[in-house]
Amino acid sequence: MRKLINIIYKRLSNTPKIIIEILSLFLLLLIASLDFYSSTKITLSLFYLAPVFIATWFISRSNGFILSIISALIWIFIDLNAKQNFV
């Protein structure tokens, strides 16, 4: 497991910041779509931290903060729509 983490860290450390931004946004959209189409009994809220962590660690704290705000807004939107669709 430690080897895998080291490989991922080395790859992301040498990757341009714009690619990491795109990767973080893509991961956020993937998690959001899985959250939207999953059951309301299954929560994926913990997984929203992964793209925020990647953006904060490899780009900057401000970029991670912006992505966390976007994640929170998407999460609220999905929760409100899920409650309306299943009531």
Side-chain angles (χ1 to χ4, degrees):
M1 184 72 176
R2 190 176 185 105
K3 267 186 165 179
L4 178 64
I5 292 172
N6 284 336
I7 291 170
I8 293 171
Y9 179 77
K10 286 179 184 177
R11 291 277 173 110
L12 288 177
S13 294
N14 297 327
T15 305
K17 290 184 178 185
I18 188 72
I19 301 296
I20 296 175
E21 287 181 29
I22 293 169
L23 174 70
S24 298
L25 286 173
F26 176 75
L27 188 58
L28 175 63
L29 292 176
L30 178 69
I31 293 167
S33 60
L34 288 173
D35 193 17
F36 184 76
Y37 290 112
S38 67
S39 171
T40 55
K41 295 178 182 178
I42 300 171
T43 181
L44 299 177
S45 59
L46 185 63
F47 294 105
Y48 283 94
L49 291 176
V52 173
F53 174 76
I54 291 170
T56 305
W57 189 270
F58 292 102
I59 302 172
S60 69
R61 185 182 291 179
S62 61
N63 199 328
F65 180 74
I66 291 169
L67 197 63
S68 68
I69 298 294
I70 294 170
S71 296
L73 292 173
I74 290 173
W75 183 27
I76 290 170
F77 175 76
I78 289 172
D79 278 353
L80 290 176
N81 276 343
K83 289 179 183 176
Q84 290 177 356
N85 290 337
F86 291 106
V87 171

